Amino acid sequence: MEANLKKALIAALLLLLAVVSFLFLAEKAGDAATHAATLSAVDEKAETVLKLSAASALASAGISAIPGDTATPIAEKLADFTEYFLLILCVLYTEKYLVTILGAAAFKVLIPLALVLFGVGLFRWRKPLHALAVKLAVIGLAVYLVIPVSFRVSDMIYRAYEATIERTVASAEELTETTSPLAEEEDSGRIATILDRIAETASSLTDKAADTLNRFVETLAVMIVTSCVIPVLVLLFFLWVIKQVTGLDLGERLRKLGETHRPA
């Protein structure tokens, strides 16, 4: 009798925790204020991506005005960077919205269900229900933590290269200011006069354009690593933790699910 009373009290406590998680913790986890630091980092990075995209487009237009065809491939390559930056921006905004959605889902569905199953397991089907409860709890915590942790890791790398990114934008702006008079003139004689006036030759401007392109390549690599690669690696790490703790290989299941729905 005493043992059953103890189980009933524990089950009642677990049920109370499930209700608290569903009604209060889920709202807290889904509140943007809870993830203010993460969302601020996303907004800052998104602003940087927009600035880089605009700088690459303007630099491409300026380089196109350099006399001769030597700088044309550089201008075309810089124009392509806008698409890459747009892709990175989409990834950032997706992660921004997911951080609150996944947090709410973890504490509104997975964690309460795990607590309820653990409580029921005190009376019937102890081993299978408790095993399932542990799996759901681990998955719930992983779902809640995966994006904030990935942003903490990627932000450390991003801060290390922040000065490099700023130099890239400055280099593009300087090149745009230098080549802007050329874009306003179409007559070759006037272009030559402008080149003499700004103490630059077409060759030196092309070299400067190539240097700007190299800076953008480095910056793009940093943005891809911090915005795309690091989140994927953190996700794989959490999947590995889930597998080690619960024995559930979610990565393999997702891969098989993708193969099942792959069109013939």
Side-chain angles (χ1 to χ4, degrees):
M1 186 67 180
E2 185 178 348
N4 289 333
L5 179 60
K6 185 177 180 180
K7 289 180 181 180
L9 289 175
I10 295 175
L13 178 60
L14 291 172
L15 180 60
L16 177 62
L17 291 175
V19 172
V20 170
S21 176
F22 184 85
L23 295 179
F24 301 104
L25 295 183
E27 183 179 354
K28 187 73 174 177
D31 189 359
T34 305
H35 306 280
T38 299
L39 296 179
S40 176
V42 177
D43 289 337
E44 182 181 349
K45 198 174 293 185
E47 184 179 350
T48 300
V49 171
L50 288 172
K51 190 182 298 183
L52 287 167
S53 180
S56 65
L58 290 174
S60 175
I63 292 170
S64 299
I66 298 176
D69 298 329
T70 307
T72 301
I74 300 176
E76 293 175 350
K77 181 59 67 175
L78 276 175
D80 292 339
F81 275 40
T82 304
E83 299 179 2
Y84 300 136
F85 288 129
L86 177 61
L87 177 61
I88 293 173
L89 191 64
C90 291
V91 172
L92 287 173
Y93 278 118
T94 300
E95 294 175 343
K96 178 180 179 179
Y97 294 123
L98 280 178
V99 69
T100 53
I101 294 173
L102 293 180
F107 286 97
K108 189 176 283 289
V109 179
L110 295 173
I111 301 299
L113 186 56
L115 292 170
V116 170
L117 289 175
F118 201 91
V120 174
L122 293 173
F123 302 96
R124 297 187 64 181
W125 307 304
R126 181 185 181 92
K127 287 186 177 181
L129 287 183
H130 283 184
L132 181 58
V134 169
K135 291 178 182 180
L136 289 174
V138 171
I139 293 173
L141 290 175
V143 165
Y144 174 68
L145 293 173
V146 60
I147 293 182
V149 170
S150 69
F151 266 107
R152 293 295 182 276
V153 176
S154 63
D155 197 53
M156 290 189 294
I157 301 174
Y158 175 78
R159 295 300 174 191
Y161 287 92
E162 194 170 13
T164 301
I165 296 172
E166 291 176 356
R167 285 195 296 269
T168 300
V169 175
S171 175
E173 291 175 349
E174 180 184 354
L175 179 63
T176 301
E177 291 177 2
T178 304
T179 57
S180 58
L182 301 178
E184 297 171 359
E185 299 290 345
E186 295 182 357
D187 182 75
S188 59
R190 291 183 179 180
I191 289 177
T193 302
I194 293 172
L195 286 173
D196 292 338
R197 187 168 67 245
I198 64 177
E200 296 279 3
T201 64
S203 177
S204 63
L205 285 175
T206 301
D207 292 339
K208 185 177 291 186
D211 179 67
T212 300
L213 176 61
N214 291 334
R215 290 179 182 273
F216 268 98
V217 169
E218 182 182 4
T219 299
L220 179 62
V222 172
M223 298 306 296
I224 289 176
V225 168
T226 57
S227 303
C228 304
V229 177
I230 294 298
V232 170
L233 292 178
V234 172
L235 175 60
L236 292 175
F237 171 74
F238 274 95
L239 290 175
W240 176 82
V241 171
I242 291 173
K243 181 180 178 181
Q244 297 302 312
V245 175
T246 68
L248 186 62
D249 193 346
L250 292 179
E252 181 66 18
R253 295 196 175 206
L254 290 174
R255 186 183 65 81
K256 289 182 178 179
L257 183 63
E259 291 178 352
T260 302
H261 291 83
R262 183 181 300 170

